[in-house]
């Protein structure tokens, strides 16, 4: 605590944790260690920017008085966070029974012959404290992820490992089916081709026989043709 002859003042620097668009307050404590009644008045070089409550008053003997200084919300920060604002605390001895409403500017004028004291205070902007970075539990670097069986149906680590294998085997089944279908289709095509070949040979045989027998067919030839048709139909269905 310091520093005037009449009043002790703490602190001598008004420190504001500066934040844009936010009102910020700090407090002063005025201490009277004498047996006199001391009047005080707080002035600033930028009265539109600050609100002081109370800005004047009486500090009784062996007592203290708290003063709150509030900085109005600012729209922009000063260059390099440097503030040129100043405060001045004036104090003077007054008669017992003097009230705050009785304080006049003449009480702090040395020309009137009163014992007057003046203390200048600086304004300092400080950065607001930063919240600590959150630390995630169980996030040790290099550790493998762990999973446990629980009643809520969470997937375990072993299930996570097996699942890709199940997907692979599931993908293999359509491949086998595709190969089987392709093989059957190829056999069917061969059978159709064979059937067409038999039909061509049959037509040729019919024409030759018709020429040899004058348009009539023997019973054995009819049976041969019937058996050949059954054989071809079986091959096509297969």
């Amino acid at each position: 605590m310091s520093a005037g002859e009449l009043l002790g003042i703490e602190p001598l620097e008004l420190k504001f944790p500066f934040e844009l668009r936010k009102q910020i307050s700090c407090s002063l404590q005025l201490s009277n260690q004498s047996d006199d009644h001391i009047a005080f008045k707080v002035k600033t070089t930028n009265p539109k920017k600050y609100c002081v409550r109370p800005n004047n008053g009486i500090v009784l003997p062996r007592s203290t008085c708290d003063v709150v200084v509030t900085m109005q919300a600012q729209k922009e920060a000063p260059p390099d966070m440097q503030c040129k604002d100043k405060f001045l605390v004036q104090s003077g001895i007054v008669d017992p029974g003097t009230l705050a409403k009785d304080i006049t500017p003449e009480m702090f004028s040395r020309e009137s012959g009163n014992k007057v004291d003046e203390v200048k205070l600086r304004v300092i902007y400080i950065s607001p404290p930063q919240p600590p970075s959150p630390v995630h539990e169980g996030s040790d670097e290099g550790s493998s992820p762990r999973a446990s069986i629980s009643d809520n149906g969470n997937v375990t680590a072993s299930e996570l490992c097996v699942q890709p294998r199940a997907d692979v085997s599931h993908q293999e089944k359509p491949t086998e089916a595709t190969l089987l279908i392709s093989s059957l289709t190829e056999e069917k095509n061969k059978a159709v081709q064979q059937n067409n070949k038999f039909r061509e040979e049959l037509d040729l045989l019919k024409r030759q026989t018709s020429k040899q027998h004058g348009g009539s067919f023997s019973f054995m030839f009819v049976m041969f043709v019937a058996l050949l048709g059954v054989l071809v139909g079986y091959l096509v269905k297969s």
Side-chain angles (χ1 to χ4, degrees):
M1 186 175 294
S2 118
E5 296 182 2
L6 299 180
L7 289 178
I9 302 174
E10 177 68 28
L12 293 177
E13 295 178 339
L14 296 177
K15 297 181 179 180
F16 292 92
F18 187 89
E19 294 185 52
L20 291 176
R21 299 176 178 83
K22 182 178 179 181
Q23 282 191 349
I24 308 168
S25 299
C26 64
S27 60
L28 290 172
Q29 186 177 76
L30 309 180
S31 177
N32 180 7
Q33 301 297 330
S34 69
D35 296 325
D36 297 315
H37 289 68
I38 300 177
F40 73 89
K41 185 174 183 62
V42 181
K43 296 181 178 181
T44 177
T45 57
N46 197 342
K48 293 183 179 180
K49 185 176 179 180
Y50 300 94
C51 176
V52 182
R53 291 290 183 272
N55 64 343
N56 63 12
I58 304 295
V59 184
L60 300 178
R62 308 295 176 179
S63 63
T64 61
C65 177
D66 291 328
V67 177
V68 177
V69 180
T70 301
M71 181 177 68
Q72 304 303 316
Q74 301 298 299
K75 296 181 179 180
E76 59 182 12
D80 300 327
M81 293 293 286
Q82 299 296 319
C83 182
K84 297 181 180 180
D85 299 333
K86 298 289 189 298
F87 280 80
L88 178 68
V89 179
Q90 296 177 311
S91 57
I93 299 175
V94 295
D95 296 331
T98 302
L99 301 177
K101 65 179 181 177
D102 301 326
I103 296 176
T104 63
E106 289 75 17
M107 292 181 178
F108 306 105
S109 174
R110 291 189 174 90
E111 295 178 357
S112 63
N114 296 332
K115 185 176 181 180
V116 177
D117 195 12
E118 293 183 346
V119 178
K120 295 180 180 180
L121 307 179
R122 296 175 56 200
V123 175
I124 297 177
Y125 293 156
I126 59 177
S127 299
Q130 299 296 325
S133 301
V135 178
H136 299 286
E137 295 183 359
S139 61
D140 295 338
E141 185 175 356
S143 61
S144 59
R146 298 180 180 178
S148 59
I149 301 175
S150 61
D151 296 335
N152 58 5
N154 289 340
V155 180
T156 62
S158 59
E159 291 174 348
L160 292 175
C161 296
V162 172
Q163 186 64 32
R165 299 178 182 177
D167 293 342
V168 173
S169 61
H170 180 71
Q171 294 175 358
E172 290 177 354
K173 291 182 180 179
T175 303
E176 294 176 358
T178 303
L179 292 176
L180 179 59
I181 293 174
S182 177
S183 177
L184 292 175
T185 302
E186 184 177 356
E187 292 180 2
K188 181 178 179 180
N189 292 336
K190 290 181 179 179
V192 171
Q193 293 176 0
Q194 189 71 24
N195 182 29
N196 293 335
K197 184 177 181 180
F198 286 157
R199 287 182 182 277
E200 292 175 358
E201 294 178 357
L202 178 61
D203 292 338
L204 178 61
L205 183 60
K206 285 180 180 180
R207 290 194 294 270
Q208 293 177 354
T209 304
S210 177
K211 292 179 180 181
Q212 295 176 0
H213 300 280
S216 62
F217 294 92
S218 64
F219 175 76
M220 292 299 294
F221 179 74
V222 172
M223 292 297 295
F224 172 76
V225 171
L227 290 174
L228 183 60
V230 172
L231 177 60
V232 171
Y234 175 76
L235 292 175
V236 171
K237 291 181 180 180
S238 302

